[in-house]
């Protein structure tokens, strides 16, 4: 990227009121450092504590999901790269994140998100409780499968998910959450 392209990127980020933007492999320490920076920014912006916690929680859940998925799949750094953007839009914060996934995994994920997006707050709460009572999957004993439901519960608008097909039965999954 040359100097004029960098300036154009800066203008685009300012125009879209981007607070945080990252593209690359997600490590535990990067998630933590960006999380700390996000907390500080939200404090400086005098965001109400409940709203700040929602933004932070969605950021943590999405980035940890990406990290766990790429580790589970054994992706190298090129495939493990994620894109995370946090911005402001029409008085709301938007957390957007994306990463390369296996096509079948992405299709299943988009279908789950589409289902959660049709539910109201009471239905999401019921779905959360139902999922909490389900036995954990043998192949994922560390996960109760509550993350996406919790993200949907914190959102102030339906979740938006897309899948852009790549080669080799892979796709780029993108999720945007308005808070």
């Amino acid at each position: 990227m040359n100097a004029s392209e960098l300036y154009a990127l800066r203008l685009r980020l300012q125009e879209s009121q981007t607070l945080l933007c990252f593209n690359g492999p997600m490590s535990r320490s990067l998630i933590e450092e960006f999380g700390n920076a996000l907390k500080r920014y939200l404090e400086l912006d005098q965001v109400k504590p409940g709203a700040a916690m929602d933004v932070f929680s969605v950021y943590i859940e999405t980035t940890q999901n990406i990290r766990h998925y790429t580790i589970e799949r054994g992706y190298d750094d090129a495939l493990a790269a994620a894109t995370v953007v946090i911005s402001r839009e029409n008085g709301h914060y938007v957390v957007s994140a994306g990463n390369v996934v296996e096509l079948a995994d992405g299709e299943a994920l988009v279908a789950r998100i589409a289902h959660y997006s049709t539910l109201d707050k009471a239905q999401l709460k019921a779905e959360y409780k139902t999922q909490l009572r389900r036995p954990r999957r043998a192949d994922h004993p560390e996960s109760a499968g509550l993350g996406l439901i919790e993200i949907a519960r914190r959102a102030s608008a339906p979740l938006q998910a897309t899948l852009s097909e790549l080669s080799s039965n892979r796709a780029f999954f993108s999720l945007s959450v308005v808070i």
Side-chain angles (χ1 to χ4, degrees), residues 51-115:
M53 181 53 77
D54 287 345
V55 173
F56 179 76
S57 295
V58 169
Y59 160 77
I60 290 295
E61 186 65 39
T62 55
T63 54
Q64 286 181 344
N65 284 349
I66 290 168
R67 185 172 182 279
H68 291 151
Y69 182 83
T70 58
I71 289 170
E72 174 186 300
R73 288 294 180 182
Y75 286 173
D76 62 20
D77 281 353
L79 287 176
T83 303
V84 179
V85 178
I86 300 174
S87 59
R88 281 191 290 193
E89 186 177 298
N90 300 323
H92 294 277
Y93 287 91
V94 180
V95 177
S96 300
N99 63 297
V100 173
V101 297
E102 299 301 310
L103 183 58
D105 294 341
E107 288 169 341
L109 192 54
V110 169
R112 280 181 48 212
I113 290 167
H115 168 69

Side-chain angles (χ1 to χ4, degrees), residues 36-175:
N36 289 335
L38 177 60
K39 278 184 189 178
R40 283 191 297 278
Y41 182 83
L42 294 171
E43 287 170 4
L44 289 173
D45 207 25
Q46 297 179 343
V47 177
K48 293 180 183 176
M53 181 53 77
D54 287 345
V55 173
F56 179 76
S57 295
V58 169
Y59 160 77
I60 290 295
E61 186 65 39
T62 55
T63 54
Q64 286 181 344
N65 284 349
I66 290 168
R67 185 172 182 279
H68 291 151
Y69 182 83
T70 58
I71 289 170
E72 174 186 300
R73 288 294 180 182
Y75 286 173
D76 62 20
D77 281 353
L79 287 176
T83 303
V84 179
V85 178
I86 300 174
S87 59
R88 281 191 290 193
E89 186 177 298
N90 300 323
H92 294 277
Y93 287 91
V94 180
V95 177
S96 300
N99 63 297
V100 173
V101 297
E102 299 301 310
L103 183 58
D105 294 341
E107 288 169 341
L109 192 54
V110 169
R112 280 181 48 212
I113 290 167
H115 168 69
Y116 295 149
S117 293
T118 66
L119 304 179
D120 63 24
K121 295 293 183 187
Q123 291 169 318
L124 284 166
K125 183 177 181 178
E127 184 83 13
Y128 185 91
K129 287 182 178 182
T130 299
Q131 182 64 31
L132 193 57
R133 289 188 291 268
R134 286 191 180 124
R136 293 189 181 200
R137 292 176 29 193
D139 58 336
H140 293 286
E142 73 286 349
S143 173
L146 299 171
L148 280 176
I149 301 170
E150 186 60 30
I151 288 170
R153 290 179 70 189
R154 292 178 183 272
S156 62
L159 304 180
Q160 296 179 344
T162 61
L163 204 57
S164 303
E165 286 192 46
L166 306 171
S167 59
S168 304
N169 290 321
R170 292 197 173 110
F172 189 83
F173 168 77
S174 302
L175 174 67

